[in-house]
Amino acid sequence: MTTSMAETAATDIGAVEEFGDRWAKAWNEHDADAVAAMCADDLVYDEPALRETAYGRESIREFVANMARTFPDYVFTREGYYAETTRRAVVVSWRFVGTVAGTDRRVEFHGDDRLEVGEDGLIHAYRCLYDNKFVERQVRG
């Protein structure tokens, strides 16, 4: 039986992959509630598009809903996992592809999510890394 991310760091790659798969599935289904459910109420959320740190589960719920409106066909493709060995944290490397709503402008870029998971199995710190200026240039066309 695979242990959960709440019980392990990188000692069980199966737990890391299962956690990452649930994370990717929630995002790719554009399910703001499912993404938010994986996060703690005290979430610290750094997202380049927000331009400042956001806090709480509602901040990520709103962001996912906005993403679905802005890029109705978006999809994230996982490129890799990188787990820390000394604490419950994982980096998920991904590629984003989506079309700006109401246009034919396709946006593509790479990023990484650094997820710190608490003993409760929820994400308490989420640091998303990508070149937002590159994204903005693509969105503007």
Side-chain angles (χ1 to χ4, degrees), residues 3 5-6 15 17 29 34-35 55 70-72 78 83 92 104-105 109 113 128:
T3 55
M5 276 292 292
E17 288 177 344
E29 290 181 351
V35 171
Y55 299 92
T70 305
F71 304 99
R78 184 183 70 226
V92 181
D104 62 354
R105 282 192 306 280
F109 63 99
D113 290 345
C128 186

mmCIF file of all heavy atoms in Angstrom, residues 3 5-6 15 17 29 34-35 55 70-72 78 83 92 104-105 109 113 128:
data_model
loop_
_atom_site.group_PDB
_atom_site.id
_atom_site.type_symbol
_atom_site.label_atom_id
_atom_site.label_comp_id
_atom_site.label_asym_id
_atom_site.label_seq_id
_atom_site.Cartn_x
_atom_site.Cartn_y
_atom_site.Cartn_z
ATOM 1 N N THR A 3 1.967 4.998 0.838
ATOM 2 C CA THR A 3 1.729 5.973 1.884
ATOM 3 C C THR A 3 1.391 7.312 1.240
ATOM 4 O O THR A 3 1.660 7.542 0.071
ATOM 5 C CB THR A 3 2.968 6.126 2.784
ATOM 6 O OG1 THR A 3 4.079 6.443 1.974
ATOM 7 C CG2 THR A 3 3.236 4.858 3.570
ATOM 8 N N MET A 5 1.431 11.641 0.922
ATOM 9 C CA MET A 5 2.423 12.715 1.046
ATOM 10 C C MET A 5 2.475 13.210 2.487
ATOM 11 O O MET A 5 3.478 13.746 2.919
ATOM 12 C CB MET A 5 2.086 13.875 0.114
ATOM 13 C CG MET A 5 2.590 13.699 -1.288
ATOM 14 S SD MET A 5 4.382 13.749 -1.389
ATOM 15 C CE MET A 5 4.687 15.464 -0.995
ATOM 16 N N ALA A 6 1.406 13.032 3.252
ATOM 17 C CA ALA A 6 1.408 13.466 4.641
ATOM 18 C C ALA A 6 2.322 12.603 5.490
ATOM 19 O O ALA A 6 2.731 13.005 6.567
ATOM 20 C CB ALA A 6 -0.006 13.431 5.212
ATOM 21 N N ALA A 15 3.743 7.709 -3.635
ATOM 22 C CA ALA A 15 2.914 8.706 -2.950
ATOM 23 C C ALA A 15 3.065 10.067 -3.617
ATOM 24 O O ALA A 15 2.090 10.799 -3.782
ATOM 25 C CB ALA A 15 3.307 8.786 -1.477
ATOM 26 N N GLU A 17 3.874 10.627 -6.789
ATOM 27 C CA GLU A 17 3.200 10.572 -8.089
ATOM 28 C C GLU A 17 1.681 10.630 -7.941
ATOM 29 O O GLU A 17 1.009 11.332 -8.686
ATOM 30 C CB GLU A 17 3.613 9.323 -8.846
ATOM 31 C CG GLU A 17 5.040 9.391 -9.350
ATOM 32 C CD GLU A 17 5.492 8.118 -10.041
ATOM 33 O OE1 GLU A 17 4.835 7.059 -9.888
ATOM 34 O OE2 GLU A 17 6.513 8.188 -10.741
ATOM 35 N N GLU A 29 -9.133 19.411 -15.167
ATOM 36 C CA GLU A 29 -10.598 19.369 -15.232
ATOM 37 C C GLU A 29 -11.194 20.747 -14.945
ATOM 38 O O GLU A 29 -12.413 20.892 -14.904
ATOM 39 C CB GLU A 29 -11.135 18.323 -14.256
ATOM 40 C CG GLU A 29 -10.816 16.909 -14.708
ATOM 41 C CD GLU A 29 -11.342 15.837 -13.773
ATOM 42 O OE1 GLU A 29 -11.830 16.159 -12.661
ATOM 43 O OE2 GLU A 29 -11.256 14.660 -14.177
ATOM 44 N N ALA A 34 -11.865 21.277 -6.479
ATOM 45 C CA ALA A 34 -10.941 20.162 -6.248
ATOM 46 C C ALA A 34 -9.524 20.663 -5.989
ATOM 47 O O ALA A 34 -8.819 20.125 -5.126
ATOM 48 C CB ALA A 34 -10.957 19.201 -7.436
ATOM 49 N N VAL A 35 -9.089 21.690 -6.718
ATOM 50 C CA VAL A 35 -7.763 22.268 -6.463
ATOM 51 C C VAL A 35 -7.745 22.855 -5.052
ATOM 52 O O VAL A 35 -6.822 22.584 -4.269
ATOM 53 C CB VAL A 35 -7.395 23.341 -7.517
ATOM 54 C CG1 VAL A 35 -6.120 24.069 -7.115
ATOM 55 C CG2 VAL A 35 -7.236 22.712 -8.899
ATOM 56 N N TYR A 55 -3.368 34.574 0.096
ATOM 57 C CA TYR A 55 -3.510 33.724 1.268
ATOM 58 C C TYR A 55 -4.872 33.057 1.273
ATOM 59 O O TYR A 55 -5.871 33.651 0.874
ATOM 60 C CB TYR A 55 -3.335 34.555 2.551
ATOM 61 C CG TYR A 55 -1.970 35.189 2.625
ATOM 62 C CD1 TYR A 55 -1.749 36.469 2.125
ATOM 63 C CD2 TYR A 55 -0.903 34.488 3.158
ATOM 64 C CE1 TYR A 55 -0.487 37.049 2.176
ATOM 65 C CE2 TYR A 55 0.368 35.056 3.204
ATOM 66 C CZ TYR A 55 0.561 36.330 2.714
ATOM 67 O OH TYR A 55 1.813 36.893 2.749
ATOM 68 N N THR A 70 -10.441 32.537 -18.797
ATOM 69 C CA THR A 70 -9.470 33.182 -19.673
ATOM 70 C C THR A 70 -8.952 32.235 -20.749
ATOM 71 O O THR A 70 -8.753 32.641 -21.896
ATOM 72 C CB THR A 70 -8.291 33.730 -18.848
ATOM 73 O OG1 THR A 70 -8.816 34.596 -17.833
ATOM 74 C CG2 THR A 70 -7.312 34.493 -19.716
ATOM 75 N N PHE A 71 -8.730 30.972 -20.378
ATOM 76 C CA PHE A 71 -8.215 29.944 -21.292
ATOM 77 C C PHE A 71 -9.133 28.726 -21.204
ATOM 78 O O PHE A 71 -8.802 27.738 -20.541
ATOM 79 C CB PHE A 71 -6.791 29.528 -20.904
ATOM 80 C CG PHE A 71 -5.805 30.654 -20.833
ATOM 81 C CD1 PHE A 71 -5.464 31.222 -19.606
ATOM 82 C CD2 PHE A 71 -5.198 31.140 -21.976
ATOM 83 C CE1 PHE A 71 -4.542 32.251 -19.522
ATOM 84 C CE2 PHE A 71 -4.271 32.174 -21.912
ATOM 85 C CZ PHE A 71 -3.954 32.726 -20.680
ATOM 86 N N PRO A 72 -10.302 28.754 -21.849
ATOM 87 C CA PRO A 72 -11.290 27.690 -21.651
ATOM 88 C C PRO A 72 -10.825 26.294 -22.069
ATOM 89 O O PRO A 72 -11.393 25.300 -21.615
ATOM 90 C CB PRO A 72 -12.491 28.136 -22.492
ATOM 91 C CG PRO A 72 -12.073 29.341 -23.240
ATOM 92 C CD PRO A 72 -10.772 29.820 -22.721
ATOM 93 N N ARG A 78 2.298 17.296 -17.388
ATOM 94 C CA ARG A 78 3.385 17.104 -16.427
ATOM 95 C C ARG A 78 4.666 16.716 -17.154
ATOM 96 O O ARG A 78 4.669 15.860 -18.026
ATOM 97 C CB ARG A 78 3.013 16.009 -15.430
ATOM 98 C CG ARG A 78 4.057 15.835 -14.342
ATOM 99 C CD ARG A 78 3.729 14.720 -13.399
ATOM 100 N NE ARG A 78 3.883 13.456 -14.090
ATOM 101 C CZ ARG A 78 3.005 12.465 -14.039
ATOM 102 N NH1 ARG A 78 1.900 12.594 -13.356
ATOM 103 N NH2 ARG A 78 3.228 11.345 -14.681
ATOM 104 N N ALA A 83 11.087 15.480 -5.719
ATOM 105 C CA ALA A 83 10.702 15.460 -4.313
ATOM 106 C C ALA A 83 11.890 15.791 -3.430
ATOM 107 O O ALA A 83 13.019 15.404 -3.721
ATOM 108 C CB ALA A 83 10.148 14.086 -3.949
ATOM 109 N N VAL A 92 6.571 20.093 -9.068
ATOM 110 C CA VAL A 92 5.946 19.511 -10.249
ATOM 111 C C VAL A 92 6.293 20.407 -11.432
ATOM 112 O O VAL A 92 5.929 21.583 -11.453
ATOM 113 C CB VAL A 92 4.410 19.411 -10.092
ATOM 114 C CG1 VAL A 92 3.787 18.788 -11.324
ATOM 115 C CG2 VAL A 92 4.041 18.637 -8.837
ATOM 116 N N ASP A 104 -7.931 33.443 -31.302
ATOM 117 C CA ASP A 104 -7.201 32.244 -31.741
ATOM 118 C C ASP A 104 -5.762 32.276 -31.225
ATOM 119 O O ASP A 104 -4.914 31.528 -31.681
ATOM 120 C CB ASP A 104 -7.236 32.103 -33.266
ATOM 121 C CG ASP A 104 -6.569 33.281 -33.974
ATOM 122 O OD1 ASP A 104 -6.184 34.261 -33.300
ATOM 123 O OD2 ASP A 104 -6.435 33.218 -35.206
ATOM 124 N N ARG A 105 -5.483 33.152 -30.220
ATOM 125 C CA ARG A 105 -4.126 33.279 -29.665
ATOM 126 C C ARG A 105 -3.821 32.114 -28.730
ATOM 127 O O ARG A 105 -4.427 31.974 -27.677
ATOM 128 C CB ARG A 105 -3.962 34.599 -28.924
ATOM 129 C CG ARG A 105 -3.762 35.774 -29.859
ATOM 130 C CD ARG A 105 -3.308 37.030 -29.133
ATOM 131 N NE ARG A 105 -4.160 37.448 -28.033
ATOM 132 C CZ ARG A 105 -5.296 38.110 -28.168
ATOM 133 N NH1 ARG A 105 -5.755 38.434 -29.365
ATOM 134 N NH2 ARG A 105 -5.997 38.466 -27.105
ATOM 135 N N PHE A 109 3.770 27.807 -22.356
ATOM 136 C CA PHE A 109 4.926 28.113 -21.519
ATOM 137 C C PHE A 109 5.171 26.990 -20.524
ATOM 138 O O PHE A 109 4.315 26.141 -20.308
ATOM 139 C CB PHE A 109 4.771 29.455 -20.807
ATOM 140 C CG PHE A 109 3.615 29.527 -19.842
ATOM 141 C CD1 PHE A 109 3.807 29.365 -18.482
ATOM 142 C CD2 PHE A 109 2.327 29.794 -20.306
ATOM 143 C CE1 PHE A 109 2.743 29.444 -17.595
ATOM 144 C CE2 PHE A 109 1.256 29.878 -19.432
ATOM 145 C CZ PHE A 109 1.471 29.703 -18.075
ATOM 146 N N ASP A 113 5.660 24.077 -10.066
ATOM 147 C CA ASP A 113 4.914 24.285 -8.834
ATOM 148 C C ASP A 113 5.715 23.675 -7.692
ATOM 149 O O ASP A 113 6.065 22.491 -7.749
ATOM 150 C CB ASP A 113 3.550 23.593 -8.874
ATOM 151 C CG ASP A 113 2.570 24.236 -9.820
ATOM 152 O OD1 ASP A 113 2.805 25.379 -10.244
ATOM 153 O OD2 ASP A 113 1.549 23.586 -10.121
ATOM 154 N N CYS A 128 4.400 29.033 -7.339
ATOM 155 C CA CYS A 128 4.350 28.764 -8.777
ATOM 156 C C CYS A 128 5.407 29.632 -9.457
ATOM 157 O O CYS A 128 5.493 30.828 -9.192
ATOM 158 C CB CYS A 128 2.953 29.097 -9.287
ATOM 159 S SG CYS A 128 2.689 28.652 -10.995
#
